Amino acid sequence: MTASDISPAELERARREAAARGLDIAFSQSDMREAYAHHGRPFDLVIACDNSVPHLLSDDDLLAAFREFFKCTRPGGGCIISVRDYEQEERDGVHLKPLGVRIEGEARYCVFQVWEFKGLIYDLSMYFVEDRPGADCVTHVMRTQYYAVTSDKLISLMREAGYRDVRRVDHPYPQPVILGVR
């Protein structure tokens, strides 16, 4: 198994998670728009899940990534992506997305996101309010941007990149899954 990500921090986390599970995975840093140039070989399956492709903020960037994915897919192989169901989201204004409370030892973490739309691009701020015994709390925030791209648009771009039999599968997954075959 081979895995790549543009973020050194995410790669380090993935290495720790793989080690904890005894998995042998070759990790490397790469932009998905340069996947084939980086890996230089085809795979049976290319996977980009958990809303990773909408980090690319234009149709041109998405198409570039899908073309690289296609070159990385063996004939008869497949591509799987999963994304938020943006068709079900209100895509304007500012929205609060509560994610819940997590307890770790004496710390309680209240986790929520704030989405601020500017057209189909939105700023996402993910907050972790760390509440420990005593009067003070500490808030941690991570920020990024996403393109609220629809499944229909992603399917169209995957077809344009060369994939066939591209379709959306909804159940039993928590996010829509889009499948394509080379």
Side-chain angles (χ1 to χ4, degrees), residues 48-54 80-84 154 175-178:
C49 288
D50 200 24
N51 211 53
S52 61
V53 295
I80 300 173
I81 66 171
S82 70
V83 294
R84 288 190 176 106
L154 292 169
Q175 293 182 334
V177 173
I178 300 173

Side-chain angles (χ1 to χ4, degrees), residues 22-33:
L23 300 174
D24 183 23
I25 301 173
F27 291 100
S28 61
Q29 186 175 356
S30 174
D31 185 310
M32 68 180 91
R33 292 166 292 190

Side-chain angles (χ1 to χ4, degrees), residues 78-132:
C79 179
I80 300 173
I81 66 171
S82 70
V83 294
R84 288 190 176 106
D85 194 355
Y86 289 113
E87 287 93 332
Q88 303 301 315
E89 297 289 344
E90 187 177 337
R91 292 179 280 169
D92 64 353
V94 179
H95 305 278
L96 176 69
K97 304 285 186 174
L99 299 177
V101 176
R102 295 183 176 94
I103 308 289
E104 291 184 18
E106 291 189 347
R108 177 174 51 200
Y109 294 91
C110 299
V111 184
F112 61 93
Q113 296 176 348
V114 175
W115 297 9
E116 184 172 354
F117 281 86
K118 298 168 178 124
L120 292 179
I121 305 298
Y122 68 99
D123 296 327
L124 182 143
S125 299
M126 186 163 185
Y127 293 87
F128 299 84
V129 179
E130 181 180 353
D131 184 16
R132 294 185 178 271

Side-chain angles (χ1 to χ4, degrees), residues 53-65:
V53 295
H55 277 291
L56 301 176
L57 303 179
S58 73
D59 293 348
D60 289 341
D61 281 341
L62 288 167
L63 182 57

Side-chain angles (χ1 to χ4, degrees), residues 33-55:
R33 292 166 292 190
E34 300 169 357
Y36 188 77
H38 175 75
H39 294 289
R41 65 185 183 95
F43 299 90
D44 293 328
L45 188 61
V46 174
I47 302 171
C49 288
D50 200 24
N51 211 53
S52 61
V53 295
H55 277 291

